[in-house]
Amino acid sequence: MVLLKNINELKVWCASQKSIGFVPTMGALHAGHLSLVKAATLQSETVLVSIFVNPTQFDEVEDLENYPNTLDDDLTLLKASGVSAVFLPDFDQLYPDDYRYQLSENDFSMALCGAHRPGHFDGVLTVVMKLFNLVKPAKAFFGEKDYQQLRLIRGMVKAFFLDVEVVPCPIIREKDGLAMSSRNMRLSKKEREIAPQLFKIISSGQSIERMQKMIEAAGFELDYLTTQGDRLLVAATLGEIRLIDNVPYNNLRTLKKPVELRSVETCPSKPSNVE
Ligand code: AMP
């Protein structure tokens, strides 16, 4: 596995590859990330993973400062997963303009998480555009866990005629249903016990109003609980940690079938439909 620490090394490496499957991450890798890597290895000749904690998408300094860093473990996991190369840029490499140039979407990015995290999606879209321009991947893999992000990246690809296929990958959960997230490791023991309630409640088939009450009664501070297409999306804070999740949902207010818990082993290699 090749480590690419700067843009020059990245460009030379990418130029020597026929077709790249790309998995952008912020590190602190878990089975959710590895499911994207697995999908990429099944669908691409070579797989490039980037690890970059992108400061421009953090709306709170504390969240950025406390973001977990497990680089050595991450590299061990990626090597064992058959990844060809890992790109490890720093801020100066990726932002020679010091973020004077930004990419923004002015509609959906303002809703849901965007309404609670000003500038978040500008940071996400800007860094993903930079990475796409550098890597020029044939396919890029994103998790449905960050459903709004996935929709916005697909929208950006369409709007700017980017020659990359965005492949959505299903949410990977812990055994108790909690959607895997790098932030979960910052939950206290008590919060970790409460956290799976979020998934249980949004999969319960109750009315939205009832679910709102249940989420708050469980001890969460609710940011939003709303439907978007055939999804029910939630964001709620437990202590200091903001959790997001989503499940398939139909207008009859009941789930057609229970949400399947997926582990990396059962994660399909074929994409599911997001739009
Ligand atoms: P992050 O490192 O949080 O920026 O996430 C990198 C990628 O992994 C994004 O496309 C996320 O949507 C995806 N991801 C994170 N957690 C999960 C999960 N539990 N299941 C599936 N994909 C995930």
PDB file of all heavy atoms in Angstrom, residues 57 59 107-121 124 145-149 152 183 223-226 228 233-236 242-246:
ATOM      1  N   GLN A  57     -15.295  22.115   7.066  1.00  0.00           N
ATOM      2  CA  GLN A  57     -16.655  21.604   7.233  1.00  0.00           C
ATOM      3  C   GLN A  57     -17.073  21.522   8.703  1.00  0.00           C
ATOM      4  O   GLN A  57     -18.182  21.079   9.001  1.00  0.00           O
ATOM      5  CB  GLN A  57     -16.824  20.249   6.544  1.00  0.00           C
ATOM      6  CG  GLN A  57     -16.118  19.090   7.217  1.00  0.00           C
ATOM      7  CD  GLN A  57     -16.198  17.833   6.367  1.00  0.00           C
ATOM      8  OE1 GLN A  57     -15.620  17.755   5.295  1.00  0.00           O
ATOM      9  NE2 GLN A  57     -16.944  16.843   6.822  1.00  0.00           N
ATOM     10  N   ASP A  59     -18.265  23.360  11.951  1.00  0.00           N
ATOM     11  CA  ASP A  59     -18.821  24.652  12.354  1.00  0.00           C
ATOM     12  C   ASP A  59     -18.478  24.946  13.815  1.00  0.00           C
ATOM     13  O   ASP A  59     -18.672  26.061  14.282  1.00  0.00           O
ATOM     14  CB  ASP A  59     -20.335  24.683  12.131  1.00  0.00           C
ATOM     15  CG  ASP A  59     -21.033  23.483  12.728  1.00  0.00           C
ATOM     16  OD1 ASP A  59     -20.607  22.352  12.423  1.00  0.00           O
ATOM     17  OD2 ASP A  59     -21.971  23.667  13.521  1.00  0.00           O
ATOM     18  N   ASP A 107     -29.650  25.742  -1.812  1.00  0.00           N
ATOM     19  CA  ASP A 107     -31.023  25.343  -1.519  1.00  0.00           C
ATOM     20  C   ASP A 107     -31.035  24.220  -0.469  1.00  0.00           C
ATOM     21  O   ASP A 107     -31.124  24.466   0.727  1.00  0.00           O
ATOM     22  CB  ASP A 107     -31.699  24.918  -2.831  1.00  0.00           C
ATOM     23  CG  ASP A 107     -33.169  24.604  -2.655  1.00  0.00           C
ATOM     24  OD1 ASP A 107     -33.723  24.946  -1.594  1.00  0.00           O
ATOM     25  OD2 ASP A 107     -33.766  23.992  -3.566  1.00  0.00           O
ATOM     26  N   PHE A 108     -30.847  22.981  -0.939  1.00  0.00           N
ATOM     27  CA  PHE A 108     -30.925  21.828  -0.030  1.00  0.00           C
ATOM     28  C   PHE A 108     -29.850  21.877   1.062  1.00  0.00           C
ATOM     29  O   PHE A 108     -30.046  21.393   2.172  1.00  0.00           O
ATOM     30  CB  PHE A 108     -30.826  20.542  -0.861  1.00  0.00           C
ATOM     31  CG  PHE A 108     -31.069  19.270  -0.087  1.00  0.00           C
ATOM     32  CD1 PHE A 108     -32.094  19.162   0.839  1.00  0.00           C
ATOM     33  CD2 PHE A 108     -30.266  18.156  -0.312  1.00  0.00           C
ATOM     34  CE1 PHE A 108     -32.309  17.983   1.540  1.00  0.00           C
ATOM     35  CE2 PHE A 108     -30.472  16.973   0.381  1.00  0.00           C
ATOM     36  CZ  PHE A 108     -31.497  16.891   1.313  1.00  0.00           C
ATOM     37  N   SER A 109     -28.715  22.498   0.736  1.00  0.00           N
ATOM     38  CA  SER A 109     -27.622  22.554   1.731  1.00  0.00           C
ATOM     39  C   SER A 109     -27.979  23.445   2.927  1.00  0.00           C
ATOM     40  O   SER A 109     -27.309  23.406   3.954  1.00  0.00           O
ATOM     41  CB  SER A 109     -26.332  23.057   1.089  1.00  0.00           C
ATOM     42  OG  SER A 109     -26.435  24.435   0.829  1.00  0.00           O
ATOM     43  N   MET A 110     -29.014  24.258   2.753  1.00  0.00           N
ATOM     44  CA  MET A 110     -29.430  25.154   3.852  1.00  0.00           C
ATOM     45  C   MET A 110     -30.389  24.443   4.817  1.00  0.00           C
ATOM     46  O   MET A 110     -30.686  24.951   5.886  1.00  0.00           O
ATOM     47  CB  MET A 110     -30.161  26.385   3.314  1.00  0.00           C
ATOM     48  CG  MET A 110     -29.440  27.091   2.211  1.00  0.00           C
ATOM     49  SD  MET A 110     -28.045  27.967   2.889  1.00  0.00           S
ATOM     50  CE  MET A 110     -27.456  28.811   1.452  1.00  0.00           C
ATOM     51  N   ALA A 111     -30.937  23.310   4.358  1.00  0.00           N
ATOM     52  CA  ALA A 111     -31.945  22.609   5.168  1.00  0.00           C
ATOM     53  C   ALA A 111     -31.268  21.582   6.081  1.00  0.00           C
ATOM     54  O   ALA A 111     -30.052  21.384   6.032  1.00  0.00           O
ATOM     55  CB  ALA A 111     -32.927  21.900   4.233  1.00  0.00           C
ATOM     56  N   LEU A 112     -32.053  20.950   6.904  1.00  0.00           N
ATOM     57  CA  LEU A 112     -31.627  19.826   7.744  1.00  0.00           C
ATOM     58  C   LEU A 112     -30.305  20.124   8.449  1.00  0.00           C
ATOM     59  O   LEU A 112     -30.218  21.072   9.206  1.00  0.00           O
ATOM     60  CB  LEU A 112     -31.541  18.536   6.888  1.00  0.00           C
ATOM     61  CG  LEU A 112     -32.817  18.189   6.101  1.00  0.00           C
ATOM     62  CD1 LEU A 112     -32.590  17.003   5.196  1.00  0.00           C
ATOM     63  CD2 LEU A 112     -33.973  17.929   7.040  1.00  0.00           C
ATOM     64  N   CYS A 113     -29.254  19.325   8.188  1.00  0.00           N
ATOM     65  CA  CYS A 113     -27.981  19.558   8.896  1.00  0.00           C
ATOM     66  C   CYS A 113     -27.416  20.936   8.569  1.00  0.00           C
ATOM     67  O   CYS A 113     -26.786  21.573   9.418  1.00  0.00           O
ATOM     68  CB  CYS A 113     -26.952  18.484   8.532  1.00  0.00           C
ATOM     69  SG  CYS A 113     -27.304  16.911   9.337  1.00  0.00           S
ATOM     70  N   GLY A 114     -27.645  21.406   7.346  1.00  0.00           N
ATOM     71  CA  GLY A 114     -27.125  22.716   6.944  1.00  0.00           C
ATOM     72  C   GLY A 114     -27.726  23.847   7.783  1.00  0.00           C
ATOM     73  O   GLY A 114     -27.062  24.848   8.062  1.00  0.00           O
ATOM     74  N   ALA A 115     -28.977  23.669   8.189  1.00  0.00           N
ATOM     75  CA  ALA A 115     -29.637  24.702   9.003  1.00  0.00           C
ATOM     76  C   ALA A 115     -29.031  24.769  10.403  1.00  0.00           C
ATOM     77  O   ALA A 115     -29.060  25.804  11.051  1.00  0.00           O
ATOM     78  CB  ALA A 115     -31.131  24.409   9.085  1.00  0.00           C
ATOM     79  N   HIS A 116     -28.490  23.647  10.856  1.00  0.00           N
ATOM     80  CA  HIS A 116     -27.912  23.588  12.207  1.00  0.00           C
ATOM     81  C   HIS A 116     -26.400  23.736  12.208  1.00  0.00           C
ATOM     82  O   HIS A 116     -25.804  23.949  13.254  1.00  0.00           O
ATOM     83  CB  HIS A 116     -28.298  22.255  12.885  1.00  0.00           C
ATOM     84  CG  HIS A 116     -29.765  22.156  13.121  1.00  0.00           C
ATOM     85  ND1 HIS A 116     -30.345  22.516  14.319  1.00  0.00           N
ATOM     86  CD2 HIS A 116     -30.777  21.790  12.306  1.00  0.00           C
ATOM     87  CE1 HIS A 116     -31.650  22.352  14.227  1.00  0.00           C
ATOM     88  NE2 HIS A 116     -31.938  21.913  13.013  1.00  0.00           N
ATOM     89  N   ARG A 117     -25.781  23.588  11.033  1.00  0.00           N
ATOM     90  CA  ARG A 117     -24.319  23.645  10.947  1.00  0.00           C
ATOM     91  C   ARG A 117     -23.927  24.599   9.819  1.00  0.00           C
ATOM     92  O   ARG A 117     -23.592  24.161   8.700  1.00  0.00           O
ATOM     93  CB  ARG A 117     -23.745  22.246  10.682  1.00  0.00           C
ATOM     94  CG  ARG A 117     -24.172  21.201  11.705  1.00  0.00           C
ATOM     95  CD  ARG A 117     -23.453  19.883  11.469  1.00  0.00           C
ATOM     96  NE  ARG A 117     -22.015  20.039  11.642  1.00  0.00           N
ATOM     97  CZ  ARG A 117     -21.114  19.096  11.341  1.00  0.00           C
ATOM     98  NH1 ARG A 117     -21.511  17.952  10.829  1.00  0.00           N
ATOM     99  NH2 ARG A 117     -19.834  19.299  11.542  1.00  0.00           N
ATOM    100  N   PRO A 118     -23.966  25.916  10.082  1.00  0.00           N
ATOM    101  CA  PRO A 118     -23.705  26.886   9.012  1.00  0.00           C
ATOM    102  C   PRO A 118     -22.349  26.650   8.350  1.00  0.00           C
ATOM    103  O   PRO A 118     -21.352  26.440   9.021  1.00  0.00           O
ATOM    104  CB  PRO A 118     -23.733  28.245   9.734  1.00  0.00           C
ATOM    105  CG  PRO A 118     -24.034  27.972  11.166  1.00  0.00           C
ATOM    106  CD  PRO A 118     -24.207  26.512  11.386  1.00  0.00           C
ATOM    107  N   GLY A 119     -22.358  26.625   7.020  1.00  0.00           N
ATOM    108  CA  GLY A 119     -21.103  26.474   6.262  1.00  0.00           C
ATOM    109  C   GLY A 119     -20.637  25.039   6.115  1.00  0.00           C
ATOM    110  O   GLY A 119     -19.700  24.771   5.360  1.00  0.00           O
ATOM    111  N   HIS A 120     -21.297  24.117   6.800  1.00  0.00           N
ATOM    112  CA  HIS A 120     -20.822  22.722   6.788  1.00  0.00           C
ATOM    113  C   HIS A 120     -20.737  22.159   5.362  1.00  0.00           C
ATOM    114  O   HIS A 120     -19.691  21.645   4.947  1.00  0.00           O
ATOM    115  CB  HIS A 120     -21.756  21.859   7.651  1.00  0.00           C
ATOM    116  CG  HIS A 120     -21.526  20.390   7.505  1.00  0.00           C
ATOM    117  ND1 HIS A 120     -20.357  19.784   7.910  1.00  0.00           N
ATOM    118  CD2 HIS A 120     -22.306  19.399   6.977  1.00  0.00           C
ATOM    119  CE1 HIS A 120     -20.425  18.486   7.648  1.00  0.00           C
ATOM    120  NE2 HIS A 120     -21.593  18.232   7.079  1.00  0.00           N
ATOM    121  N   PHE A 121     -21.828  22.303   4.617  1.00  0.00           N
ATOM    122  CA  PHE A 121     -21.822  21.679   3.289  1.00  0.00           C
ATOM    123  C   PHE A 121     -20.967  22.441   2.282  1.00  0.00           C
ATOM    124  O   PHE A 121     -20.489  21.858   1.313  1.00  0.00           O
ATOM    125  CB  PHE A 121     -23.256  21.463   2.786  1.00  0.00           C
ATOM    126  CG  PHE A 121     -23.954  20.348   3.522  1.00  0.00           C
ATOM    127  CD1 PHE A 121     -25.073  20.596   4.306  1.00  0.00           C
ATOM    128  CD2 PHE A 121     -23.465  19.053   3.465  1.00  0.00           C
ATOM    129  CE1 PHE A 121     -25.692  19.565   5.004  1.00  0.00           C
ATOM    130  CE2 PHE A 121     -24.080  18.012   4.159  1.00  0.00           C
ATOM    131  CZ  PHE A 121     -25.198  18.270   4.925  1.00  0.00           C
ATOM    132  N   VAL A 124     -17.777  20.736   2.813  1.00  0.00           N
ATOM    133  CA  VAL A 124     -17.796  19.370   2.266  1.00  0.00           C
ATOM    134  C   VAL A 124     -17.681  19.417   0.740  1.00  0.00           C
ATOM    135  O   VAL A 124     -16.832  18.740   0.137  1.00  0.00           O
ATOM    136  CB  VAL A 124     -19.107  18.641   2.661  1.00  0.00           C
ATOM    137  CG1 VAL A 124     -19.248  17.332   1.901  1.00  0.00           C
ATOM    138  CG2 VAL A 124     -19.167  18.394   4.167  1.00  0.00           C
ATOM    139  N   LYS A 145     -25.265   6.879   5.299  1.00  0.00           N
ATOM    140  CA  LYS A 145     -25.334   7.423   6.663  1.00  0.00           C
ATOM    141  C   LYS A 145     -25.433   8.948   6.607  1.00  0.00           C
ATOM    142  O   LYS A 145     -26.202   9.568   7.327  1.00  0.00           O
ATOM    143  CB  LYS A 145     -24.079   6.973   7.426  1.00  0.00           C
ATOM    144  CG  LYS A 145     -23.674   7.817   8.597  1.00  0.00           C
ATOM    145  CD  LYS A 145     -24.246   7.259   9.852  1.00  0.00           C
ATOM    146  CE  LYS A 145     -23.943   7.992  11.124  1.00  0.00           C
ATOM    147  NZ  LYS A 145     -23.093   9.118  11.090  1.00  0.00           N
ATOM    148  N   ASP A 146     -24.604   9.545   5.724  1.00  0.00           N
ATOM    149  CA  ASP A 146     -24.629  11.000   5.533  1.00  0.00           C
ATOM    150  C   ASP A 146     -25.480  11.280   4.297  1.00  0.00           C
ATOM    151  O   ASP A 146     -24.978  11.639   3.227  1.00  0.00           O
ATOM    152  CB  ASP A 146     -23.193  11.518   5.363  1.00  0.00           C
ATOM    153  CG  ASP A 146     -22.366  11.240   6.605  1.00  0.00           C
ATOM    154  OD1 ASP A 146     -22.456  11.997   7.564  1.00  0.00           O
ATOM    155  OD2 ASP A 146     -21.650  10.207   6.627  1.00  0.00           O
ATOM    156  N   TYR A 147     -26.772  11.077   4.480  1.00  0.00           N
ATOM    157  CA  TYR A 147     -27.705  11.053   3.353  1.00  0.00           C
ATOM    158  C   TYR A 147     -27.748  12.396   2.616  1.00  0.00           C
ATOM    159  O   TYR A 147     -27.715  12.460   1.386  1.00  0.00           O
ATOM    160  CB  TYR A 147     -29.087  10.687   3.883  1.00  0.00           C
ATOM    161  CG  TYR A 147     -30.115  10.499   2.815  1.00  0.00           C
ATOM    162  CD1 TYR A 147     -30.186   9.306   2.095  1.00  0.00           C
ATOM    163  CD2 TYR A 147     -31.014  11.509   2.509  1.00  0.00           C
ATOM    164  CE1 TYR A 147     -31.129   9.136   1.104  1.00  0.00           C
ATOM    165  CE2 TYR A 147     -31.960  11.341   1.524  1.00  0.00           C
ATOM    166  CZ  TYR A 147     -32.017  10.158   0.822  1.00  0.00           C
ATOM    167  OH  TYR A 147     -32.944   9.998  -0.165  1.00  0.00           O
ATOM    168  N   GLN A 148     -27.803  13.475   3.385  1.00  0.00           N
ATOM    169  CA  GLN A 148     -27.873  14.806   2.765  1.00  0.00           C
ATOM    170  C   GLN A 148     -26.581  15.097   2.003  1.00  0.00           C
ATOM    171  O   GLN A 148     -26.596  15.635   0.895  1.00  0.00           O
ATOM    172  CB  GLN A 148     -28.119  15.867   3.852  1.00  0.00           C
ATOM    173  CG  GLN A 148     -28.437  17.232   3.285  1.00  0.00           C
ATOM    174  CD  GLN A 148     -28.737  18.265   4.366  1.00  0.00           C
ATOM    175  OE1 GLN A 148     -28.546  17.995   5.565  1.00  0.00           O
ATOM    176  NE2 GLN A 148     -29.193  19.433   3.970  1.00  0.00           N
ATOM    177  N   GLN A 149     -25.465  14.727   2.596  1.00  0.00           N
ATOM    178  CA  GLN A 149     -24.155  14.900   1.944  1.00  0.00           C
ATOM    179  C   GLN A 149     -24.117  14.150   0.612  1.00  0.00           C
ATOM    180  O   GLN A 149     -23.686  14.687  -0.408  1.00  0.00           O
ATOM    181  CB  GLN A 149     -23.069  14.384   2.890  1.00  0.00           C
ATOM    182  CG  GLN A 149     -21.713  14.193   2.267  1.00  0.00           C
ATOM    183  CD  GLN A 149     -20.674  13.762   3.287  1.00  0.00           C
ATOM    184  OE1 GLN A 149     -20.287  14.555   4.118  1.00  0.00           O
ATOM    185  NE2 GLN A 149     -20.229  12.519   3.229  1.00  0.00           N
ATOM    186  N   LEU A 152     -26.159  15.900  -1.981  1.00  0.00           N
ATOM    187  CA  LEU A 152     -25.527  17.144  -2.443  1.00  0.00           C
ATOM    188  C   LEU A 152     -24.329  16.851  -3.344  1.00  0.00           C
ATOM    189  O   LEU A 152     -24.095  17.555  -4.333  1.00  0.00           O
ATOM    190  CB  LEU A 152     -25.102  17.998  -1.235  1.00  0.00           C
ATOM    191  CG  LEU A 152     -26.284  18.701  -0.541  1.00  0.00           C
ATOM    192  CD1 LEU A 152     -25.880  19.202   0.839  1.00  0.00           C
ATOM    193  CD2 LEU A 152     -26.808  19.860  -1.396  1.00  0.00           C
ATOM    194  N   ARG A 183     -17.652   9.505  15.689  1.00  0.00           N
ATOM    195  CA  ARG A 183     -17.972  10.276  16.909  1.00  0.00           C
ATOM    196  C   ARG A 183     -18.511   9.390  18.037  1.00  0.00           C
ATOM    197  O   ARG A 183     -18.526   9.825  19.190  1.00  0.00           O
ATOM    198  CB  ARG A 183     -18.987  11.373  16.597  1.00  0.00           C
ATOM    199  CG  ARG A 183     -18.394  12.513  15.783  1.00  0.00           C
ATOM    200  CD  ARG A 183     -19.383  13.642  15.614  1.00  0.00           C
ATOM    201  NE  ARG A 183     -18.784  14.782  14.936  1.00  0.00           N
ATOM    202  CZ  ARG A 183     -18.719  14.939  13.612  1.00  0.00           C
ATOM    203  NH1 ARG A 183     -19.230  14.012  12.829  1.00  0.00           N
ATOM    204  NH2 ARG A 183     -18.154  15.995  13.080  1.00  0.00           N
ATOM    205  N   ASP A 223     -32.592  17.912  16.772  1.00  0.00           N
ATOM    206  CA  ASP A 223     -32.389  18.985  15.777  1.00  0.00           C
ATOM    207  C   ASP A 223     -33.496  18.925  14.738  1.00  0.00           C
ATOM    208  O   ASP A 223     -34.118  19.918  14.423  1.00  0.00           O
ATOM    209  CB  ASP A 223     -31.035  18.822  15.068  1.00  0.00           C
ATOM    210  CG  ASP A 223     -29.901  19.453  15.850  1.00  0.00           C
ATOM    211  OD1 ASP A 223     -30.168  20.006  16.926  1.00  0.00           O
ATOM    212  OD2 ASP A 223     -28.746  19.393  15.376  1.00  0.00           O
ATOM    213  N   TYR A 224     -33.675  17.757  14.164  1.00  0.00           N
ATOM    214  CA  TYR A 224     -34.789  17.581  13.225  1.00  0.00           C
ATOM    215  C   TYR A 224     -35.147  16.108  13.112  1.00  0.00           C
ATOM    216  O   TYR A 224     -34.318  15.230  13.359  1.00  0.00           O
ATOM    217  CB  TYR A 224     -34.469  18.170  11.837  1.00  0.00           C
ATOM    218  CG  TYR A 224     -33.292  17.520  11.131  1.00  0.00           C
ATOM    219  CD1 TYR A 224     -33.403  16.288  10.481  1.00  0.00           C
ATOM    220  CD2 TYR A 224     -32.053  18.150  11.107  1.00  0.00           C
ATOM    221  CE1 TYR A 224     -32.329  15.707   9.850  1.00  0.00           C
ATOM    222  CE2 TYR A 224     -30.961  17.569  10.478  1.00  0.00           C
ATOM    223  CZ  TYR A 224     -31.115  16.349   9.844  1.00  0.00           C
ATOM    224  OH  TYR A 224     -30.039  15.761   9.224  1.00  0.00           O
ATOM    225  N   LEU A 225     -36.402  15.883  12.758  1.00  0.00           N
ATOM    226  CA  LEU A 225     -36.883  14.544  12.396  1.00  0.00           C
ATOM    227  C   LEU A 225     -37.853  14.790  11.262  1.00  0.00           C
ATOM    228  O   LEU A 225     -38.900  15.411  11.464  1.00  0.00           O
ATOM    229  CB  LEU A 225     -37.604  13.883  13.578  1.00  0.00           C
ATOM    230  CG  LEU A 225     -38.249  12.532  13.258  1.00  0.00           C
ATOM    231  CD1 LEU A 225     -37.197  11.457  13.001  1.00  0.00           C
ATOM    232  CD2 LEU A 225     -39.170  12.081  14.383  1.00  0.00           C
ATOM    233  N   THR A 226     -37.480  14.373  10.075  1.00  0.00           N
ATOM    234  CA  THR A 226     -38.297  14.764   8.925  1.00  0.00           C
ATOM    235  C   THR A 226     -38.138  13.765   7.795  1.00  0.00           C
ATOM    236  O   THR A 226     -37.157  13.020   7.743  1.00  0.00           O
ATOM    237  CB  THR A 226     -37.892  16.187   8.460  1.00  0.00           C
ATOM    238  OG1 THR A 226     -38.796  16.608   7.454  1.00  0.00           O
ATOM    239  CG2 THR A 226     -36.487  16.234   7.892  1.00  0.00           C
ATOM    240  N   GLN A 228     -37.696  12.905   3.745  1.00  0.00           N
ATOM    241  CA  GLN A 228     -37.088  13.471   2.538  1.00  0.00           C
ATOM    242  C   GLN A 228     -37.186  12.356   1.510  1.00  0.00           C
ATOM    243  O   GLN A 228     -36.501  11.346   1.645  1.00  0.00           O
ATOM    244  CB  GLN A 228     -35.628  13.838   2.845  1.00  0.00           C
ATOM    245  CG  GLN A 228     -34.880  14.434   1.702  1.00  0.00           C
ATOM    246  CD  GLN A 228     -35.351  15.845   1.420  1.00  0.00           C
ATOM    247  OE1 GLN A 228     -35.560  16.632   2.333  1.00  0.00           O
ATOM    248  NE2 GLN A 228     -35.556  16.163   0.158  1.00  0.00           N
ATOM    249  N   LEU A 233     -35.275  11.079   8.169  1.00  0.00           N
ATOM    250  CA  LEU A 233     -33.943  11.536   8.585  1.00  0.00           C
ATOM    251  C   LEU A 233     -34.016  12.154   9.965  1.00  0.00           C
ATOM    252  O   LEU A 233     -34.963  12.886  10.274  1.00  0.00           O
ATOM    253  CB  LEU A 233     -33.420  12.607   7.622  1.00  0.00           C
ATOM    254  CG  LEU A 233     -33.442  12.282   6.132  1.00  0.00           C
ATOM    255  CD1 LEU A 233     -33.153  13.528   5.314  1.00  0.00           C
ATOM    256  CD2 LEU A 233     -32.412  11.228   5.803  1.00  0.00           C
ATOM    257  N   VAL A 234     -32.990  11.882  10.763  1.00  0.00           N
ATOM    258  CA  VAL A 234     -32.972  12.444  12.112  1.00  0.00           C
ATOM    259  C   VAL A 234     -31.574  12.965  12.451  1.00  0.00           C
ATOM    260  O   VAL A 234     -30.564  12.423  11.988  1.00  0.00           O
ATOM    261  CB  VAL A 234     -33.422  11.379  13.157  1.00  0.00           C
ATOM    262  CG1 VAL A 234     -32.408  10.256  13.303  1.00  0.00           C
ATOM    263  CG2 VAL A 234     -33.679  12.008  14.519  1.00  0.00           C
ATOM    264  N   ALA A 235     -31.554  14.044  13.218  1.00  0.00           N
ATOM    265  CA  ALA A 235     -30.303  14.509  13.852  1.00  0.00           C
ATOM    266  C   ALA A 235     -30.661  14.886  15.273  1.00  0.00           C
ATOM    267  O   ALA A 235     -31.648  15.589  15.516  1.00  0.00           O
ATOM    268  CB  ALA A 235     -29.724  15.707  13.115  1.00  0.00           C
ATOM    269  N   ALA A 236     -29.874  14.392  16.222  1.00  0.00           N
ATOM    270  CA  ALA A 236     -30.165  14.664  17.631  1.00  0.00           C
ATOM    271  C   ALA A 236     -28.866  14.622  18.418  1.00  0.00           C
ATOM    272  O   ALA A 236     -27.939  13.893  18.061  1.00  0.00           O
ATOM    273  CB  ALA A 236     -31.142  13.619  18.173  1.00  0.00           C
ATOM    274  N   ARG A 242     -23.402  14.960  18.505  1.00  0.00           N
ATOM    275  CA  ARG A 242     -24.528  15.050  17.585  1.00  0.00           C
ATOM    276  C   ARG A 242     -24.555  13.782  16.722  1.00  0.00           C
ATOM    277  O   ARG A 242     -23.559  13.437  16.080  1.00  0.00           O
ATOM    278  CB  ARG A 242     -24.351  16.284  16.708  1.00  0.00           C
ATOM    279  CG  ARG A 242     -25.530  16.626  15.848  1.00  0.00           C
ATOM    280  CD  ARG A 242     -25.305  17.997  15.228  1.00  0.00           C
ATOM    281  NE  ARG A 242     -26.445  18.432  14.449  1.00  0.00           N
ATOM    282  CZ  ARG A 242     -26.648  18.092  13.179  1.00  0.00           C
ATOM    283  NH1 ARG A 242     -25.797  17.307  12.568  1.00  0.00           N
ATOM    284  NH2 ARG A 242     -27.711  18.554  12.531  1.00  0.00           N
ATOM    285  N   LEU A 243     -25.696  13.097  16.745  1.00  0.00           N
ATOM    286  CA  LEU A 243     -25.833  11.858  15.986  1.00  0.00           C
ATOM    287  C   LEU A 243     -26.803  12.079  14.827  1.00  0.00           C
ATOM    288  O   LEU A 243     -27.803  12.788  14.990  1.00  0.00           O
ATOM    289  CB  LEU A 243     -26.379  10.736  16.883  1.00  0.00           C
ATOM    290  CG  LEU A 243     -25.571  10.406  18.147  1.00  0.00           C
ATOM    291  CD1 LEU A 243     -26.333   9.423  19.026  1.00  0.00           C
ATOM    292  CD2 LEU A 243     -24.207   9.834  17.769  1.00  0.00           C
ATOM    293  N   ILE A 244     -26.505  11.469  13.672  1.00  0.00           N
ATOM    294  CA  ILE A 244     -27.471  11.500  12.573  1.00  0.00           C
ATOM    295  C   ILE A 244     -27.756  10.066  12.145  1.00  0.00           C
ATOM    296  O   ILE A 244     -26.932   9.171  12.316  1.00  0.00           O
ATOM    297  CB  ILE A 244     -26.998  12.331  11.359  1.00  0.00           C
ATOM    298  CG1 ILE A 244     -25.652  11.819  10.808  1.00  0.00           C
ATOM    299  CG2 ILE A 244     -26.917  13.799  11.707  1.00  0.00           C
ATOM    300  CD1 ILE A 244     -25.268  12.461   9.488  1.00  0.00           C
ATOM    301  N   ASP A 245     -28.953   9.886  11.580  1.00  0.00           N
ATOM    302  CA  ASP A 245     -29.323   8.551  11.127  1.00  0.00           C
ATOM    303  C   ASP A 245     -30.469   8.707  10.125  1.00  0.00           C
ATOM    304  O   ASP A 245     -31.086   9.780  10.026  1.00  0.00           O
ATOM    305  CB  ASP A 245     -29.764   7.679  12.326  1.00  0.00           C
ATOM    306  CG  ASP A 245     -29.641   6.186  12.027  1.00  0.00           C
ATOM    307  OD1 ASP A 245     -29.458   5.815  10.856  1.00  0.00           O
ATOM    308  OD2 ASP A 245     -29.751   5.390  12.982  1.00  0.00           O
ATOM    309  N   ASN A 246     -30.753   7.659   9.397  1.00  0.00           N
ATOM    310  CA  ASN A 246     -31.929   7.678   8.516  1.00  0.00           C
ATOM    311  C   ASN A 246     -32.352   6.261   8.194  1.00  0.00           C
ATOM    312  O   ASN A 246     -31.544   5.329   8.251  1.00  0.00           O
ATOM    313  CB  ASN A 246     -31.653   8.501   7.246  1.00  0.00           C
ATOM    314  CG  ASN A 246     -30.585   7.880   6.362  1.00  0.00           C
ATOM    315  OD1 ASN A 246     -30.843   6.981   5.584  1.00  0.00           O
ATOM    316  ND2 ASN A 246     -29.341   8.359   6.503  1.00  0.00           N
TER     317      ASN A 246
END
